[in-house]
Amino acid sequence: MSIDTYAKLQAECMDSLNRTDLAADVTDYSPATIDGAVKRAIAKGELRVVRRLKTKDFEDSTAMTTTASVETISIPSNHAATKAIVLTGNPNVVLALKDLSTLISDNPSTGTGVPSAYALYGTNARLRPIPYAARSLTWFYYNRPTPLSDTNTS
């Protein structure tokens, strides 16, 4: 049997688990909708596949602009994993990825300058030094495709 629809994938997961009671599990994540544990597992599996495979099919980029004296920029909404963040200009500058504590330790001042590094934190990237002016950048990343659902079945 080929699994060529979302409904068949859900059925296969429930058969494998031998837990048909999970189909209508109401969750805190979506209280207005019946959104079963199997559906959540499928969504988590999709994101895990994207993060592990990192194929050209998932590559994307977006142009953004920093704001003077603002430390953060928002992560793209369909972001799964970052490849690089590049300040565009002459010359282009590839920002170094650091964990948050290292980023702050290396740049403890809240002074401004040309950003040279970033850390991902929540739904934002924090830049250090904090941009002194609006700067264009390109965020290269792996996107998260539209998840399978009852309305997006393939």
Side-chain angles (χ1 to χ4, degrees):
M1 171 180 110
S2 72
I3 301 172
D4 56 358
T5 68
Y6 183 56
K8 286 182 183 177
L9 178 59
Q10 290 178 70
E12 182 64 25
C13 290
M14 285 187 276
D15 287 348
S16 295
L17 294 171
N18 198 21
R19 295 280 308 271
T20 57
D21 61 314
L22 296 178
D25 180 29
V26 178
T27 70
D28 293 335
Y29 303 115
S30 183
T33 309
I34 294 179
D35 187 6
V38 168
K39 293 178 182 179
R40 288 194 316 275
I42 291 169
K44 287 178 183 179
E46 289 174 317
L47 185 56
R48 189 172 183 181
V49 165
V50 171
R51 286 183 174 160
R52 294 195 115 202
L53 288 181
K54 296 183 179 176
T55 67
K56 288 183 181 182
D57 297 330
F58 299 121
E59 291 180 345
D60 207 345
S61 66
T62 188
M64 304 174 101
T65 304
T66 66
T67 303
S69 301
V70 175
E71 181 181 18
T72 60
I73 54 174
S74 296
I75 292 173
S77 60
N78 64 339
H79 174 272
T82 298
K83 282 187 79 167
I85 299 177
V86 179
L87 280 179
T88 53
N90 190 9
N92 288 337
V93 176
V94 178
L95 302 183
L97 171 62
K98 298 185 177 185
D99 64 77
L100 185 60
S101 58
T102 302
L103 181 76
I104 293 169
S105 296
D106 290 352
N107 298 280
S109 167
T110 56
T112 60
V114 176
S116 60
Y118 71 98
L120 300 177
Y121 185 75
T123 59
N124 294 304
R126 296 180 72 164
L127 306 174
R128 287 292 175 102
I130 298 169
Y132 71 91
R135 296 287 306 261
S136 296
L137 61 83
T138 303
W139 194 317
F140 296 94
Y141 62 99
Y142 295 98
N143 68 36
R144 180 178 42 219
T146 304
L148 291 172
S149 67
D150 292 329
T151 56
N152 179 39
T153 60
S154 61

